[in-house]
Amino acid sequence: MASTQKFDFFATTAKGMEDLLLEELKGLGAQSVLKGKAGVSFQGPLETGYRACLWSRIANRILLPLKTFPASDPDRLYGGVRSIHWTDHLSEKNTLAVDFSVSHSQITHSHYAALKVKDAIVDQFRSVKGSRPSVSPRRPDVQVNVYLHNDEATVSLDLSGESLHRRGYRQELSPAPLKENLAAALLMTAGWTSREDQSSDLALLDPMCGSGTLAIEAALIAGNIAPGLGRDYFGFLGWAGHDAGLWSKLKEEAQEKILFKPGLVRKRSPKIIGYDQDFRAIRVALSNLERVNFPGLRVGAGGGLLRGHVHFEKRDLSECEAPSEKGIFIVNPPYGERLGDVEALKPLYKQLGDTLKQKFQGWEGYIFTGNPDLAKTIGLKASRRSVFFNGSIECRLLKYELYESSREIRVLKV
């Protein structure tokens, strides 16, 4: 397929992150960008789809829709899938997998429906080629995505292959970690950006960093590092329409745009700090940080692309101090759904509010929580509340603006 051909794409994301994804895709050159439910549709040449896979910090998957058709029963589903020219997308020597999701339709059994889709594809190959591709549930050459809604099926190729939140650096986890793209969404909502002239007196501090996801994602943003550079698998790599030359060019361009070079810490790099009272969490965070290194990266060698750009340290919340006059204080404390009793967590939330009031004047504070009752114990008035979903849990990113006036610390109210 010619790289100048225009395609329709659909980028999926978690509920509540659609607006961020829409603006991100516009910045990547996407055309006809339109927000939908849990995702954004857009158009462009194949290069645009590749850029989204490489650069999107917000998307889960980048889909290339092939066909939409009525599918009120298994036979119609089978027929619609078989009508697609699958030899344009893979060969009998390739592996494939089918991901099927369904809502508000007469077909309700997603596993059975996925088998019907697989049968339609391999039956076409047997008829045309005399042999068939094999099924591989893990990292197949071609990942087929089918979404059935109101008895209408949309069949797509999953260009991402597996969720884009998997950057490749996080091998060890702390309890209840944030997904990488949710962490990036929180940071972008907080106004954390990538600027070559970003002042060194601006800092970002996570006082309960766990496995370090917020701090590492902050460094990827500040360093203008494409999150997809750390991945060794995409769904388009085994696709018959893949343009290997184009993909290599885009990766080289991304490497050139990195502001952080191995062994060279910019004098005006922002301070990015993660504290945690648990030494095991700090060990995991440091291990994850060292994994941010991209195979074949031409700008340097060795582990730890972010070495020197992120500081992790065992430190109790009571010992946290502002490292600069201004910055972003951002934290994802436990909120009782999975980690502990709500009553037991109230002193922690009060301590977070007290810490902001007493030690972070001039900063912006952000607390991410899925428990409104706990949020009330912070003792500050939020100037903004942004809704996100951490899995199925509806959460709020609460913003607190504090400044010093006379001898009092007051919270800006809107």
Side-chain angles (χ1 to χ4, degrees):
M1 297 181 183
S3 60
T4 55
Q5 179 183 351
K6 181 176 285 190
F7 294 89
D8 293 315
F9 300 99
F10 189 82
T12 70
T13 192
K15 187 179 177 182
M17 290 162 56
E18 298 94 341
D19 288 330
L20 286 170
L21 178 57
L22 183 145
E23 293 303 320
E24 182 183 57
L25 290 170
K26 284 182 178 178
L28 294 175
Q31 305 163 13
S32 303
V33 185
L34 183 64
K35 184 174 74 170
K37 182 181 179 182
V40 175
S41 63
F42 62 103
Q43 293 181 335
L46 185 59
E47 179 176 340
T48 303
Y50 281 1
R51 285 190 187 279
C53 287
L54 182 61
W55 280 98
S56 179
R57 304 182 193 278
I58 304 299
N60 282 329
R61 297 179 184 274
I62 306 299
L63 304 178
L64 177 63
L66 302 178
K67 189 171 185 177
T68 298
F69 53 87
S72 57
D73 58 62
D75 289 338
R76 291 180 180 178
L77 175 64
Y78 176 96
V81 173
R82 185 158 179 173
S83 69
I84 298 169
H85 295 161
W86 289 104
T87 53
D88 291 342
H89 304 291
L90 72 161
S91 76
E92 63 274 21
K93 297 179 181 179
N94 289 132
T95 58
L96 69 93
V98 177
D99 178 37
F100 196 103
S101 58
V102 59
S103 67
H104 305 291
S105 298
Q106 295 181 62
I107 296 175
T108 58
H109 198 299
S110 60
H111 179 67
Y112 173 71
L115 291 176
K116 292 295 289 186
V117 172
K118 182 266 296 181
D119 288 345
I121 297 171
V122 300
D123 287 351
Q124 183 187 103
F125 268 94
R126 283 197 188 100
S127 175
V128 175
K129 298 290 187 177
S131 58
R132 49 156 285 183
S134 58
V135 173
S136 175
R138 185 179 183 277
R139 294 194 166 189
D141 295 323
V142 173
Q143 176 81 47
V144 179
N145 179 282
V146 184
Y147 177 51
L148 182 63
H149 179 68
N150 289 335
D151 292 331
E152 186 173 74
T154 299
V155 180
S156 306
L157 297 179
D158 184 349
L159 298 184
S160 42
E162 59 187 16
S163 181
L164 293 174
H165 82 270
R166 297 173 181 168
R167 318 288 204 218
Y169 65 80
R170 199 167 76 173
Q171 302 297 319
E172 296 187 65
L173 304 177
S174 61
L178 288 175
K179 284 188 176 181
E180 293 87 332
N181 57 343
L182 176 55
L186 300 181
L187 291 164
M188 292 164 72
T189 302
W192 188 255
T193 61
S194 169
R195 298 193 303 271
E196 287 197 54
D197 61 346
Q198 187 147 261
S199 175
S200 60
D201 62 359
L202 179 66
L204 183 137
L205 187 146
D206 178 358
M208 302 174 65
C209 68
S211 58
T213 305
L214 276 167
I216 293 173
E217 288 296 316
L220 292 177
I221 293 172
N224 198 36
I225 300 169
L229 275 176
R231 290 165 55 103
D232 60 3
Y233 170 72
F234 287 92
F236 57 75
L237 294 176
W239 173 46
H242 176 46
D243 187 334
L246 173 62
W247 178 239
S248 294
K249 178 177 79 78
L250 293 177
K251 288 196 296 182
E252 289 178 4
E253 287 179 358
Q255 291 173 14
E256 293 295 333
K257 292 179 179 180
I258 295 175
L259 301 179
F260 296 166
K261 309 298 184 184
L264 177 63
V265 178
R266 290 185 299 136
K267 293 182 179 179
R268 299 185 64 81
S269 294
K271 299 180 181 71
I272 301 172
I273 301 167
Y275 295 141
D276 203 285
Q277 66 177 1
D278 187 347
F279 77 91
R280 291 167 295 186
I282 294 300
R283 178 188 61 78
V284 171
L286 288 168
S287 178
N288 289 338
L289 184 70
E290 285 297 299
R291 288 192 176 92
V292 183
N293 185 55
F294 311 136
L297 191 62
R298 292 186 294 105
V299 294
L305 176 63
L306 297 183
R307 186 180 297 166
H309 298 282
V310 180
H311 176 76
F312 287 121
E313 180 182 328
K314 180 183 180 300
R315 184 179 293 197
D316 189 80
L317 178 59
S318 63
E319 301 173 332
C320 287
E321 302 284 348
S324 59
E325 292 184 359
K326 59 182 180 178
I328 293 174
F329 178 108
I330 187 165
V331 62
N332 171 41
Y335 36 84
E337 294 291 338
R338 291 160 293 177
L339 297 177
D341 178 75
V342 172
E343 287 299 319
L345 290 170
K346 286 184 177 180
L348 171 63
Y349 276 69
K350 183 180 184 301
Q351 186 181 11
L352 284 170
D354 291 344
T355 300
L356 279 173
K357 286 185 289 186
Q358 297 166 9
K359 299 181 178 180
F360 288 85
Q361 301 94 333
W363 281 51
E364 291 183 350
Y366 292 86
I367 299 177
F368 185 62
T369 181
N371 193 306
D373 290 334
L374 287 172
K376 293 175 184 177
T377 66
I378 294 170
L380 301 175
K381 176 72 173 180
S383 64
R384 191 174 74 194
R385 296 171 174 83
S386 303
V387 178
F388 293 94
F389 281 80
N390 189 0
S392 61
I393 304 169
E394 183 174 326
C395 301
R396 300 285 189 280
L397 180 65
L398 306 173
K399 178 182 180 180
Y400 303 98
E401 299 178 72
L402 298 104
Y403 63 95
E404 189 169 11
S405 179
S406 300
R407 295 181 180 179
E408 297 181 352
I409 305 301
R410 298 188 300 176
V411 180
L412 183 63
K413 300 181 180 181
V414 296

